[in-house]
Amino acid sequence: HLILLFSLFLAPAFADKESQKTNQNFSSNNASHKRLKRDWIWNQMHIKEEIDTPLPHHVGKITSSVRNNNAKYIIEGEYANTIFKVEETSGDVYAFERLDREKKAEYELTALIIDRRNNQSLEPPSKFIIKVYDINDNVPVFVQKVFNGSVPEMSPVGTSVTKVTAVDADDPTVTGHATVTYQVIKGDEYFTVDDSGVISTTRADLDRENQSTYEIIVKAKDAPGSSGDSSTATVIITLTDINDNFPVFKHPSFHFKVPENISVGGEVGRVKVEDVDEPQHRNTKYSFVRGDYRDTFEIVANPFTNEGIIRPKKPLDFEKVAEYRFDIEATDPTVDLRYFKSGGSRSISTVTIEVTDVDEPPVFTKLPYEFKVRENDPEIRTLGSVWAHDPDAAKRKIRFIRRRASPNGDYIRVSDTGIIQLPKPLDREFSSSYNITVAAQEILEDGHLSDRESHAQVHVIVTDENDNAPELVYPEEPRVCENAAPGKVIIRISATDKDEISPRGFFKYSLATEDSNFSLVENYDNTANITVKYGQFNRELAKIHYLPVIISDNGDPELSSTNTLVISVCKCNEKGNFTFCEERAEQVGVSIQALVAIFICIFTIIVITLLILLRKRHKKDLSGLGRNVAEIHEQLVTYDEEGGGEMDTTSYDVSVLNSVRKNGIKLEAVPSPYAQVQKPPGNITSGAGEMEMMIEVKKDEADNDRDLLPYDTLHIYGYEGAESTAESLSSLESGSSDSDIDYDFLNDWGPRFKMLAELYGSEP
């Protein structure tokens, strides 16, 4: 060990000017006193780490220039008297533990010297440092156990992949203690590593499609050139994909079946290819190589599945072409040819498309159909015809039907054979064009119509004929001041025509009579001005003037109309402003359609009134004079209560029965319908069949004669049947019998039979 001795020396103290002023406090010889300064003296302390000799280990020695036999050395600090201790008299410092520089490289302590007798400090405390010398006792350690890196496949030699890092805890200031070197111990045929830890490729033919990941092991060690300790780490290297492979068809040929009615743009089928590159590098393009059907089909690549979708570009027809065959090629225009592998860049496959027959609707030969016809031409009945044919091999006949019409109505008809007919002349003013939809359906072998149909639009354009006269148009009611000057413009008039006006068409205006105070001036722009001719109107003679105006067109033939212009003569102020005009009497007109509707309503009311009167008269004839037998029968039939006996006179109207006798009406005058049914002989016992026959007869009578009143219940009581030996027991026909029985004895039976006596008694 190197021992550096520090000495204390005495420094002379000289008195200053202030000392001289107070020199009366010192000795008279004015001699200056000198004092020696003491200081610490110890060794520069160092110690190696991990010393393998027995403890304690001598570190160094502290000493002081104090000369005192009672001096005592002590140390203070965090690790004093634990790791480090000092010998009290000699000042030797010892370490009682083996030190590790990687844990703590320096220790700071404080040295003190005291008088052991009174523990008084003999010198001020002083700090000192103990440094730990490093030895190469640590292995380089990787900062992580597994590293990851990536590099594009087919990269050139020396392409950087990733970097690994290992750390040595030894002192880097000591040569060779913290220097780390790297070495690939597994996978060195593909990758290498330099002293800085950068891993790079050693081959240029790393192909992701053959092997996509590599796992290598890298060793880190220190003390270059020696076989010192080392550590290892795993590095996983992934090859990223580049577009270096062309697509290849999965099959040498593809076969598809498709119906002939597939829509344009519909999917026929899909051809599949295999591209070993990753999806982002699959950009397959399909093209036709051989075959004449590139105008019929197209192949579009699906960006997600890389499949080729075959679609028709125009309608297919089984009757024309039943099968398509062509070759297609799959390629990738974005392949990097620098890394292209040998083996051919073309992949070709044969595609066969078989078209199947379907029952197609009829096909019109022309779409759309357009016809022109003159309006109001009674001679034109047929405009033309539409035609459709069956595209299938059956070649069935076609029937045509009108589906829709605009405007709606029976203006245009279509025959079964497709002839376009006019039932009546067309009016262009009602509609300048007529549109109908014609449906074509095939006639099946059984005569029925097929449910498949096609449609065609038929447009009928009506050409104009000059069949409408022009009409007067004026924006406001014409008025004139009674003191208007000659030439004053009253109103500008114009005209309109329902007929089609040609660009060279014009209207001519004229007055029907010149005998008026008005004149007409042409403006030669299809308008005219009505002006004052003489001036000074007399309101006393006429407050309203009716001016007939003739308007004619230049059509062929030329048509004209006379329109009446109603002009009011008004009072005006000095400025010519109207101050008072008579109110015009509004002309109330009724159209022909309204008159027809009114007449129809009146006629309907008259017919209904006559029918009501005839019905009432018919009922009156049926009722007769007074009450008839049918009414009596009806009341008896509907009475369904037993009553309280002879004294009960409130349950039904007995006066009806009395009226029969009092009015002299005999029941025999109305023969019972059952009189027609002949009673069978008494020896016949077939009662059930007889009743059945009677019921059938009555049913026929009720069905055929609607004027008869319901006699059902009354007739059942009126005929007892042949099986009854007493024959009829009903008293309802007694009024019409020829019996001479005297019923006056009923009066002797008491009040209970009074009512019956009145019914069967003789007239008073």
Side-chain angles (χ1 to χ4, degrees), residues 373-425:
V373 60
R374 295 193 308 273
E375 68 169 328
N376 301 324
D377 192 341
E379 297 181 357
I380 300 178
R381 286 292 181 264
T382 301
L383 297 180
S385 62
V386 296
W387 179 252
H389 67 280
D390 181 9
D392 299 321
K395 302 301 179 184
R396 299 187 181 101
K397 294 183 179 180
I398 307 300
R399 178 173 295 176
F400 299 92
I401 304 170
R402 195 190 79 166
R403 290 298 186 203
R404 292 178 294 274
S406 175
N408 191 20
D410 188 24
Y411 301 105
I412 300 176
R413 296 176 182 174
V414 180
S415 67
D416 293 345
T417 59
I419 299 176
I420 308 299
Q421 300 172 334
L422 297 179
K424 59 182 179 180

Side-chain angles (χ1 to χ4, degrees), residues 45-100:
M45 297 182 189
H46 296 84
I47 185 172
K48 287 186 177 180
E49 64 174 335
E50 304 294 345
I51 300 175
D52 56 358
T53 60
L55 295 172
H57 301 146
H58 186 267
V59 179
K61 183 180 181 66
I62 60 175
T63 183
S64 175
S65 59
V66 174
R67 298 293 180 262
N68 190 334
N69 294 330
N70 296 318
K72 175 184 177 182
Y73 292 100
I74 62 174
I75 58 175
E76 293 179 350
E78 181 180 359
Y79 300 97
N81 302 318
T82 55
I83 296 178
F84 301 100
K85 294 181 180 180
V86 65
E87 207 285 325
E88 295 181 353
T89 58
S90 63
D92 290 321
V93 179
Y94 294 91
F96 285 79
E97 291 183 9
R98 288 181 174 85
L99 304 180
D100 188 352

Side-chain angles (χ1 to χ4, degrees), residues 429-466:
E429 283 68 45
F430 174 74
S431 179
S432 60
S433 63
Y434 295 79
N435 303 315
I436 63 171
T437 300
V438 179
Q441 291 180 295
E442 298 175 5
I443 303 176
L444 303 178
E445 287 73 9
D446 57 0
H448 293 84
L449 296 179
S450 171
D451 56 353
R452 299 179 61 83
E453 63 180 40
S454 56
H455 302 89
Q457 301 297 324
V458 177
H459 305 288
V460 178
I461 300 175
V462 183
T463 59
D464 186 43
E465 294 291 327
N466 193 23

Side-chain angles (χ1 to χ4, degrees), residues 148-160:
N148 292 281
S150 63
V151 63
E153 62 174 331
M154 311 302 289
S155 295
V157 175
T159 302
S160 175

Side-chain angles (χ1 to χ4, degrees), residues 15 92 97 105 320 369 413 438 455 524 596 642 650 668 721:
D92 290 321
E97 291 183 9
K320 292 182 179 179
Y369 292 87
R413 296 176 182 174
V438 179
H455 302 89
Y524 300 104
V596 172
E642 185 178 354
T650 61
E668 61 182 1

